[in-house]
Amino acid sequence: METSVNRNGGKLKVFSGTANPALSQEIAWYMGLELGKINIKRFADGEIYVQLQESVRGCDVYLVQSTCPPANENLMELLIMVDACRRASAKNITVVIPYFGYARADRKTQGRESIAAKLVANLITEAGANRVLACDLHSGQSMGYFDIPVDHVHCQSVILDYLASKTISSDDLVVVSPDVGGVARARSFAKKLSDAPLAIVDKRRHGHNVAEVMNLIGDVKGKVAVMVDDMIDTAGTIAKGAALLHQEGAREVYACCSHAVFSPPAIDRLSSGLFQEVIITNTLPVAEKNYFPQLTVLSVANLLGETIWRVHDDCSVSSIFQ
């Protein structure tokens, strides 16, 4: 990455919440800074207490906090951290959200549903944040829910670099979207992966209590299939898709995602032998019990650290991903 910009960290401070302290520490190491001192604790009744233990008056403050499980706890902690910074006279407050919870509730698909993504965006804005820096939002429209600037960081580049090191022949590759909704994401990924061909898993239910019918659009016979998604939660969709790819003659199947939520029974499904490798990033912390032989965890710390520097120095962020 280019590092030619003038970097003055004197008025820049990075603080970490309790959601993913290891990633926050890696970001600070990349930036050549120490994490800011902050005291976060829970009272006996579950209330959250936050106190900054150093001055932030006139500083650009970056708060690193994923709203991962427990989502409500971590979201509330982030809001209280923002409030503490605002009341301590920070010049600018940027919330760095490697994983934005509630992003799936971004539209109404049925009557009388809430749009929780918009509600959470309002909460963050009203708490006093001046800018949001988020990784791989579930849908790009979520950026429009904020009334403050949003920098959207794409973790694809980290996964693409890793796949490039695997030296898989471009003639053997096919990028697969595990559902119709992820086609745009998979197409973008395929274009950057030597303009690889694209395949789509189409699943549909013809009626209540009728099993899903899965069809494959595209050719995967004898090829290395790379399934791309933004998150893996219970791994039901991606595991069924992988089984279909094997039925259709795929030689190997790789799964790639930015956000490894890994709700049960995800680990059982992912380690069942369907996948040659499951490639994820550390936007969410991965518990030790959730590691399995096929799992590869890539760090987005350098990417986020570089983005923070560029935001602080008023430089282009989008040029990182070109």
Side-chain angles (χ1 to χ4, degrees), residues 160-196:
L160 285 164
D161 286 346
Y162 177 76
L163 284 173
S165 71
K166 304 287 287 184
T167 61
I168 303 168
S169 169
S170 57
D171 295 334
D172 290 342
L173 270 175
V174 58
V175 174
V176 182
S177 173
D179 53 36
V180 175
V183 171
R185 184 184 305 108
R187 187 185 292 120
S188 169
F189 195 90
K191 191 173 182 180
K192 293 172 182 171
L193 203 61
S194 306
D195 214 4

Side-chain angles (χ1 to χ4, degrees), residues 10 12 43 54 120 129 199 219 237 284 287 306 319:
L12 185 155
F43 289 112
E54 56 188 78
V120 172
D219 179 31
T237 299
L284 287 89
E306 182 66 23
S319 59

